[in-house]
Amino acid sequence: MNSLMSNMGLAFAILGAALAACLAGAGSAVGVGVAGQAAAGITTEDPNKFSKALILQLLPGTQGIYGLIIAFFCLNQVGLVGGTPADLSLAKGVMYFCACLPMAIAGLVSAMYQGKASVASISMIAKRPDQFGKAMIFPAMVETYAILALLISLLALIGVGGANI
Amino acid sequence: MSDTSFTYAVARVRSKELGLLSSQNLEQLLSAKSYEECLRLLQDKGWGSADSGLTAEEMLAQEREKTWALMRELVDDMHLFDVFLYTNDYHNLKAAIKLVCTQGEDFGLFISNGSIPYQRILEAVREKEYGWLPSGMAQAAQEAYTTLSQTQDGQLCDVIVDRACLDTIYQAGKDSRSDLIQLYAELTVASADIKTAVRCANTGKPLDFIQRALAPCDTLSVSRLAKAAAEGMESICDYLSATNYAGGVDTLRQSPSAFERWLDDLMIEAIKPQQYQAFGIGPLAAYVLARENEIKTVRIILSGKLNGLPEQVIRERMRQMYV
């Protein structure tokens, strides 16, 4: 029981890292999947639009990468990557967990909605391939919020790492 | 049905929409010097097949088949489109009843593209096994057959079947989760009611006959429309002026064909927002309706050219395009 309690801090930190990687990754999988269906649809009719459709399909994939960065950073902070796990207090572990949440939640939701925006943009280039630049902007706007979440999670992780609790 | 359903299908339809005839294409057809040139222009646009000896009807039939073949490829559950095929089913029912009652022969009366095979309808009527038909149709089939065989009144038989058809379309609209199919059902029933009311007013039908012929819908009061129809054309126009169909009253006063064109344009205008929908059955259903509208307009142009009608006369009958 004592051993469990003494490792609870580390467990929370790992849970935070896992959520950042899993939720953001799941959101990206959904977003890229749905955009992929639309991309396949227009490529069936016009294979020349493959490259444009592919770029739009990949846009919701970035959240998965951001989630991975946060997870890796968090695990590195607690010494699980290439080192000895730090002796974390419960409070500090919970702080790591909370620091990962912005990326986990915003990553999941923004990737799903970015996927929908990508589908709409793919429909747009089906009819107006010359407007590819504008079509890119609409789903890219959703990216803003994933980047904000990434920044907050990163700053929070750095802050928690420096805290002496 | 999730809100991201039919994503692949909608993307394909978006690409296919590029091949739909635009107003400029119709102008080109209209300015063609002859019927043959029209057919050539359509073939250049990819209509029909490589076989250059196609008649206009064969070409139009092939185009319709291409649309349905695409839908069969894209949609697993074709029952979603049944609402568009009920008119064909009930046409086949009328043909079957008349054929069986008169003990006549099939002279190509049936339409093959229905939600149920016409052979099943014919067999059910011939064997008086109405249970082989869907419930709404079975009741109408029995009633219409009995009426025709007892009274020899073909018009009353048609009224029974047409009314059942409209009720089925209306119910399918209500049961559908697609806004577009609900809208289609509502406009189909309302436009059929108005056209029936106008015909009844012109032929002086009694109120009870009109009430029987009109099907309920949300945008019209059937009792008020029937009463107006019994009073005459002016009463119909007065009543419609206070409904969603007020915009068509002027065309109704001009001619039935002008009003029919207005109704078709109203439908196309109503489905146009589907061009900006990326998900759902709506864009697919809108594509089917757009293709039907396109085929109808091309038929008008071709028959106008074949009969040597002046360009202006053909233009008056042309429908608005989806793209």
Side-chain angles (χ1 to χ4, degrees):
Chain A
M1 192 64 186
N2 264 352
S3 153
L4 180 69
M5 283 311 289
S6 63
N7 287 320
M8 275 303 276
L10 190 61
F12 267 108
I14 293 170
L15 181 61
L19 283 180
C22 291
L23 293 186
S28 280
V30 172
V32 173
V34 73
Q37 291 177 44
I42 70 158
T43 310
T44 306
E45 295 298 328
D46 183 1
N48 292 330
K49 290 182 180 135
F50 169 72
S51 54
K52 287 176 178 165
L54 183 68
I55 293 168
L56 288 167
Q57 185 201 351
L58 289 179
L59 283 177
T62 51
Q63 282 84 343
I65 299 168
Y66 300 159
L68 181 77
I69 291 170
I70 292 300
F72 184 80
F73 198 77
C74 179
L75 294 177
N76 193 42
Q77 290 274 60
V78 299
L80 274 174
V81 179
T84 319
D87 188 14
L88 283 184
S89 67
L90 178 60
K92 196 162 182 177
V94 172
M95 282 181 181
Y96 274 120
F97 172 78
C98 293
C100 292
L101 284 184
M103 192 63 250
I105 296 169
L108 172 72
V109 178
S110 68
M112 291 198 300
Y113 279 92
Q114 194 172 28
K116 289 184 181 182
S118 285
V119 170
S121 288
I122 289 169
S123 289
M124 183 177 162
I125 60 159
K127 284 191 166 179
R128 306 286 298 269
D130 53 318
Q131 300 296 319
F132 178 64
K134 288 174 186 161
M136 278 272 289
I137 290 172
F138 300 124
M141 296 304 289
V142 187
E143 190 78 13
T144 315
Y145 303 97
I147 292 171
L148 294 181
L150 171 71
L151 276 176
I152 291 300
S153 283
L154 265 180
L155 290 175
L157 284 175
I158 293 166
V160 174
N164 194 12
I165 305 168
Chain B
M1 204 181 295
S2 85
D3 61 347
T4 53
S5 55
F6 302 107
T7 310
Y8 170 80
V10 174
R12 277 193 69 181
V13 160
R14 281 288 103 86
S15 297
K16 287 278 183 193
E17 282 170 5
L18 292 172
L20 289 175
L21 295 180
S22 62
S23 307
Q24 288 89 340
N25 295 135
L26 292 185
E27 284 301 323
Q28 248 184 320
L29 285 177
L30 206 54
S31 53
K33 289 187 180 67
S34 64
Y35 171 77
E36 288 73 23
E37 194 183 330
C38 262
L39 287 179
R40 251 196 321 277
L41 281 170
L42 286 168
Q43 264 182 336
D44 291 346
K45 190 87 180 110
W47 279 51
S49 62
D51 179 6
S52 55
L54 284 178
T55 65
E57 272 314 312
E58 284 167 345
M59 181 186 271
L60 299 181
Q62 279 193 358
E63 284 307 302
R64 180 170 285 122
E65 182 45 34
K66 279 182 198 171
T67 309
W68 286 107
L70 177 69
M71 291 303 136
R72 280 194 292 272
E73 190 186 332
L74 296 179
V75 179
D76 292 332
D77 181 10
M78 283 299 283
H79 290 300
L80 292 167
F81 295 115
D82 278 357
V83 69
F84 301 132
L85 303 176
Y86 287 144
T87 321
N88 294 350
D89 290 339
Y90 281 85
H91 163 88
N92 288 339
L93 177 62
K94 277 195 272 189
I97 291 171
K98 287 176 184 173
L99 204 68
V100 173
C101 269
T102 57
Q103 295 172 339
E105 282 181 45
D106 172 14
F107 294 110
L109 297 167
F110 295 98
I111 300 172
S112 55
N113 190 22
S115 72
I116 45 175
Y118 73 83
Q119 294 90 343
R120 197 167 112 198
I121 298 175
L122 182 59
E123 209 49 35
V125 174
R126 192 169 274 151
E127 301 297 326
K128 313 280 179 300
E129 289 287 352
Y130 302 110
W132 295 350
L133 301 172
S135 60
M137 185 184 263
Q139 205 181 340
Q142 190 166 11
E143 193 184 346
Y145 183 84
T146 311
T147 305
L148 187 63
S149 56
Q150 286 176 0
T151 65
Q152 308 298 314
D153 185 345
Q155 193 180 37
L156 192 56
C157 166
D158 286 352
V159 164
I160 294 165
V161 176
D162 288 340
R163 169 68 192 271
C165 177
L166 293 175
D167 287 340
T168 307
I169 291 173
Y170 180 74
Q171 196 50 48
K174 286 282 168 205
D175 294 343
S176 171
R177 279 179 284 178
S178 160
D179 291 344
L180 183 109
I181 290 176
Q182 286 172 15
L183 180 74
Y184 167 81
E186 180 63 29
L187 282 178
T188 303
V189 176
S191 64
D193 278 350
I194 297 170
K195 284 187 262 186
T196 305
V198 169
R199 274 199 303 273
C200 288
N202 289 336
T203 51
K205 292 287 177 195
L207 183 61
D208 58 339
F209 179 91
I210 305 170
Q211 278 171 334
R212 176 155 201 192
L214 301 184
C217 62
D218 295 339
T219 49
L220 290 173
S221 159
V222 168
S223 58
R224 288 182 63 191
L225 182 62
K227 209 172 147 211
E231 287 167 8
M233 266 302 290
E234 264 317 300
S235 295
I236 294 177
C237 292
D238 287 345
Y239 168 65
L240 290 179
S241 301
T243 66
N244 294 355
Y245 309 98
V249 170
D250 287 342
T251 57
L252 185 59
R253 286 198 173 99
Q254 275 172 34
S255 69
S257 70
F259 182 66
E260 202 154 321
R261 178 193 160 165
W262 182 83
L263 285 170
D264 285 346
D265 288 350
L266 182 70
M267 178 79 81
I268 290 297
E269 205 54 52
I271 66 171
K272 272 189 176 176
Q274 295 298 326
Q275 288 185 65
Y276 313 110
Q277 292 289 330
F279 304 103
I281 190 78
L284 308 183
Y287 180 75
V288 170
L289 291 175
R291 287 284 283 157
E292 286 297 324
N293 182 59
E294 192 179 67
I295 290 167
K296 185 191 275 187
T297 307
V298 167
R299 180 178 280 119
I300 289 168
I301 295 175
L302 287 174
S303 64
K305 289 283 174 193
L306 188 65
N307 295 300
L309 294 181
E311 193 178 309
Q312 190 53 34
V313 175
I314 304 173
R315 193 184 295 279
E316 280 167 8
R317 285 163 174 74
M318 277 166 50
R319 268 55 175 171
Q320 191 179 320
M321 290 289 104
Y322 180 59
V323 291

